Amino acid sequence: MMRFLARHRRIINVIVIIAFIAGFVYFTIKTRDIKIGTYDSKTYSGIAFNTAIKKTIFMNDVDRRDQIDAEIDKTLREIDEKLSYRNEDSEVAFFNRNYATGGIYNFDPEIISYLKKEMEICKETDGAFCPCILPLTRLWGIEDGNNKVPSDKDIKDRLARIDYKEMEVTDEGLTLNAGNMAIDFGASGKGIAADKVYKVLSDNDVPGAIISIGGTILTYGSKGADDIWRVGIQDPRGATGDAIGAIEVGGGTFISTSGDYEKFFEVDGKRYHHILDPKTGYPADNGLISVTIATDNGLTSDAMSTACFVMGLEDGMRYAESKGADAVFVTSDKKIHLSKGLKKRFIIKAKDYEIAK
């Protein structure tokens, strides 16, 4: 055996080197599959849903990456044109103008699926999330730059037109049993858009991406070596981009934040923001200034962040945890309240905030 090895040492060395090179090449190829290393990325920006869009796509194929960005933009435009009550040609706007009290309107099945999910959240939260709040939203007009507090009489009148119990959603369609009502996807539309973007990323086998649609963020896949995404949460009293902290989540997570800092005006030192309480007709006033919900569905995270803000700290946190969602509630005394499952995955950054015990 020793003679054989000595006689053929040169050949054996060549075979070993070839085997090593082959193994190295195989390992390099498989590295891409198991996501060791980092993908190239590019960040794209845009506007949709009257808000800023930011898309960072992790992919080494530059041409495909640009094509996917274009497909995402197309998807966002389509869903905005379909659901926006501001777009006179949308199905939602047409319904609001033309529905017959007590009649069944045969919406697109996709829209019906959204309405069913909204009604489920609405009933679970006793109307804190309200799919038919548009008449009240229009009265306040905060999103349109109205800086005037409506009269009590006008608010009382609108409250009679936003009773979700007058809504019926079935496979056949939507029925409103009272006049002068209207539906609005403003509190869930960005989440719905994030769900649609998730499908685009999945259909195109994108390795990883992080997408921001206003107050909703989608983490998808992986950047490469690290499967953990660290997503910053806006400081409700800081400049845009200032974070109170960050949460650690995996790919396929939808994070939505609702806060009193997004759209508001002040009169005599009092802040009037756009998150309206369907029971009082006024902006929710319960000590909360920001609520962040992280879960595995965009519509759910977006709607729940609004509902939990309206419900308040105790009821809102109880509801979020009952649904298995991660939650960050920020109160006006600058305390950060975390759901049980998030306490080991939150990194505080702002010095003037503290985590509540």
Side-chain angles (χ1 to χ4, degrees), residues 1-192:
M1 183 66 178
M2 295 300 295
R3 288 180 182 178
F4 177 84
L5 292 174
R7 189 180 304 168
H8 299 88
R9 179 173 297 167
R10 183 174 295 177
I11 295 174
I12 292 172
N13 287 340
V14 171
I15 293 172
V16 170
I17 292 171
I18 292 172
F20 176 79
I21 294 173
F24 177 78
V25 171
Y26 175 80
F27 178 76
T28 301
I29 293 172
K30 293 304 290 181
T31 289
R32 299 174 187 171
D33 296 333
I34 61 177
K35 299 177 181 175
I36 295 176
T38 303
Y39 293 107
D40 290 335
S41 67
K42 183 177 179 179
T43 298
Y44 306 82
S45 59
I47 299 290
F49 301 94
N50 293 320
T51 192
I53 309 295
K54 185 176 179 181
K55 302 153 286 181
T56 301
I57 301 173
F58 293 82
M59 175 179 271
N60 294 332
D61 188 328
V62 176
D63 292 336
R64 279 198 64 218
R65 192 171 60 199
D66 290 344
Q67 291 169 3
I68 291 164
D69 171 63
E71 187 173 344
I72 290 173
D73 283 345
K74 180 175 179 289
T75 298
L76 291 174
R77 285 195 302 272
E78 288 174 348
I79 197 70
D80 191 16
E81 291 169 358
K82 193 172 191 177
L83 299 182
S84 175
Y85 73 87
R86 297 176 185 276
N87 180 356
E88 292 186 358
D89 296 325
S90 75
E91 192 168 355
V92 168
F94 181 85
F95 170 82
N96 286 340
R97 291 194 305 268
N98 298 289
Y99 83 90
T101 304
I104 299 177
Y105 184 84
N106 302 114
F107 263 120
D108 179 311
E110 185 176 43
I111 295 181
I112 288 296
S113 71
Y114 300 149
L115 287 169
K116 282 184 175 180
K117 185 64 180 176
E118 286 196 335
M119 286 301 293
E120 178 183 322
I121 295 171
C122 176
K123 291 175 181 178
E124 289 175 346
T125 61
D126 192 24
F129 172 80
C130 180
C132 55
I133 200 171
L134 183 56
L136 183 63
T137 302
R138 281 175 167 163
L139 175 66
W140 279 89
I142 296 174
E143 296 188 18
D144 300 319
N146 182 20
N147 293 332
K148 183 179 178 180
V149 179
S151 69
D152 289 339
K153 180 180 181 303
D154 286 341
I155 290 174
K156 185 176 181 180
D157 173 68
R158 296 301 171 99
L159 286 176
R161 295 163 52 184
I162 64 168
D163 184 358
Y164 74 90
K165 294 177 183 177
E166 299 291 349
M167 285 184 65
E168 297 179 30
V169 184
T170 65
D171 291 339
E172 287 70 37
L174 170 65
T175 298
L176 297 183
N177 292 313
N180 298 314
M181 295 180 70
I183 61 170
D184 172 23
F185 285 93
S188 64
K190 298 176 185 66
I192 291 170

Side-chain angles (χ1 to χ4, degrees), residues 206-225:
V206 174
I210 182 164
I211 313 293
S212 173
I213 307 172
T216 294
I217 295 173
L218 161 64
T219 61
Y220 181 88
S222 166
K223 292 169 282 187

